[in-house]
Amino acid sequence: MSPELSKYNGKVQVAPLRSMPPLERFTPITPHLAIAPTVSVVVPAMNEAENLPHVFATLPQWIDEIVLVDGNSVDDTVAVARRLRPNVKIVTQTGRGKGDALAAGFAAATGDIIVMIDADGSTDGHEIITFVGALVTGADFVKGSRYASGGNSDDLTFSRRFGNLILTKMVNVLYRTQYTDLCYGYNAFWSRHLNVLDLDCDGFEVETLMNVRAAKAGLKVVEVPSHERCRIHGESNLRAIRDGLRVLRTILREWRREVAAPLPEPATTPAADRGVA
């Protein structure tokens, strides 16, 4: 393969490109597109049996793994998930809260890429290809944004919109980022960066924690537009003031915290039997 050329201090540097993975490593996405990395989708859920048929219907067939983290549901969440996708991986949450559920799901995921979506129908699985596309073209961490061009929300109240705006501006000032949306639960990243994210929170502040730690570690963060829809059935556990204060405390605490160094990109290895979800 041809070498990759780059400039450093005005001098051309030559670095060999990675060898192309074997053809059997690639997963067809469309007749014109295939990807080599494996993709896990992590879905935290508690009493979402009515919403899962819609959520799972939007998930593309080419993903390699669905990890559903059940928050000790008292409805048929687990049974419905297994009926919809017999090979779904079920993780029973031992703690409480969304942050704890995501940490459990990330630990169980085996894909090269991890995508996190919500189980209430507000996030659209059809958008996963946009997140994966940004990752395979150079991003380390991809944030969904309801405010980026092409993004939108059907569910943001005035108080949530205003609070998100203030908290986003605070993060941009403290961490020198250019985020447009801080508190949104649709994100994707390379699993090798789990050591950087190192989730150690319980609640809805988890998205802020991930965004801040990704920035502090120097990861290449890319925002992609996303359309948030209203919850289909049931009521949200999100409380604007309570959870806004948790986000604020997270922002200030992380400002003083050292972050782990990101791991280097691994060398290409032959594919194993992945079992398409």
Side-chain angles (χ1 to χ4, degrees):
M1 298 183 69
S2 300
E4 183 181 43
L5 301 180
S6 60
K7 284 189 175 182
Y8 180 74
N9 289 340
K11 296 181 180 180
V12 175
Q13 306 290 315
V14 181
L17 294 177
R18 287 196 308 153
S19 60
M20 189 178 78
L23 292 179
E24 62 268 20
R25 177 80 160 109
F26 286 85
T27 300
I29 307 301
T30 73
H32 309 289
L33 176 66
I35 61 170
T38 54
V39 179
S40 296
V41 176
V42 175
V43 189
M46 185 173 69
N47 300 326
E48 300 287 6
E50 290 186 283
N51 294 322
L52 285 186
H54 171 83
V55 174
F56 277 30
T58 70
L59 298 179
Q61 291 294 322
W62 50 262
I63 62 177
D64 300 277
E65 180 179 61
I66 300 174
V67 180
L68 184 132
V69 185
D70 177 51
N72 298 287
S73 299
V74 296
D75 66 359
D76 294 330
T77 292
V78 172
V80 169
R82 286 184 171 142
R83 174 173 57 81
L84 295 170
R85 295 289 180 97
N87 58 344
V88 65
K89 180 182 289 187
I90 303 295
V91 175
T92 301
Q93 185 178 0
T94 57
R96 293 173 59 88
K98 185 177 183 180
D100 179 83
L102 286 173
F106 294 166
T110 61
D112 302 315
I113 288 172
I114 297 176
V115 183
M116 50 185 273
I117 68 171
D118 292 330
D120 58 5
S122 62
T123 48
D124 185 357
H126 294 111
E127 296 178 357
I128 288 177
I129 184 57
T130 305
F131 290 78
V132 171
L135 289 168
V136 299
T137 52
D140 293 309
F141 185 96
V142 180
K143 295 170 68 290
S145 173
R146 297 161 290 186
Y147 301 105
S149 178
N152 203 349
S153 176
D154 303 328
D155 193 41
L156 277 176
T157 62
F158 173 80
S159 60
R160 287 179 59 203
R161 188 182 298 271
F162 180 74
N164 190 28
L165 175 65
I166 297 301
L167 293 168
T168 301
K169 287 184 177 296
M170 179 180 294
V171 166
N172 286 340
V173 170
L174 290 177
Y175 299 98
R176 299 181 180 180
T177 53
Q178 295 182 323
Y179 295 159
T180 62
D181 198 350
L182 184 68
C183 307
Y184 187 42
Y186 207 163
N187 300 290
F189 55 92
W190 292 99
S191 59
R192 65 178 181 269
H193 296 314
L194 278 171
N195 72 309
V196 168
L197 302 177
D198 187 26
L199 301 192
D200 55 3
C201 65
D202 297 329
F204 286 98
E205 71 274 16
V206 61
E207 294 98 356
T208 296
L209 182 78
M210 296 173 69
N211 293 335
V212 166
R213 289 185 178 174
K216 288 185 67 176
L219 299 186
K220 182 177 180 181
V221 180
V222 173
E223 285 192 331
V224 297
S226 179
H227 188 150
E228 179 189 38
R229 290 164 173 81
C230 293
R231 164 181 279 274
I232 301 173
H233 300 285
E235 295 183 2
S236 173
N237 293 316
L238 178 68
R239 298 295 178 265
I241 296 177
R242 177 199 66 187
D243 294 309
L245 290 174
R246 291 179 69 129
V247 169
L248 177 60
R249 287 194 293 268
T250 297
I251 293 171
L252 297 176
R253 184 188 72 233
E254 290 299 308
W255 191 46
R256 300 175 178 86
R257 179 184 180 274
E258 292 186 5
V259 70
L263 297 177
E265 184 176 1
T268 302
T269 55
D273 181 13
R274 293 174 283 157
V276 175

